[in-house]
Amino acid sequence: MITGGPTAARWRKSSHSSGAQNRVEIVVLGDHAAVRDSKKPNHGPLVLAAECWAGFLAAVKAGHLNG
């Protein structure tokens, strides 16, 4: 459970978000991470367990998700 919920958290934008078109925000709360589209914050975030988020980041950094 995310205490306080992601709406009460301090979101930060990805350093790789560019211009007004691609803005991803993340917040890490305890043992969860939440990701949302900054242009549509009311659509709700995608909430992931911390180990899932860590696995995703590792795959990105290793280049496994490059199309």
Side-chain angles (χ1 to χ4, degrees):
M1 178 62 68
I2 298 177
T3 305
T7 57
R10 188 173 284 216
W11 291 88
R12 65 182 178 101
K13 286 187 179 27
S14 166
S15 60
H16 293 282
S17 291
S18 60
Q21 297 301 316
N22 300 309
R23 297 244 171 119
V24 175
E25 295 179 315
I26 183 169
V27 64
V28 177
L29 300 166
D31 59 352
H32 289 82
V35 182
R36 72 179 182 185
D37 179 345
S38 66
K39 297 181 305 298
K40 300 175 184 174
N42 294 329
H43 284 206
L46 171 63
V47 180
L48 305 165
E51 59 269 12
C52 293
W53 179 248
F56 172 74
L57 289 180
V60 168
K61 289 177 182 179
H64 296 300
L65 302 176
N66 294 342

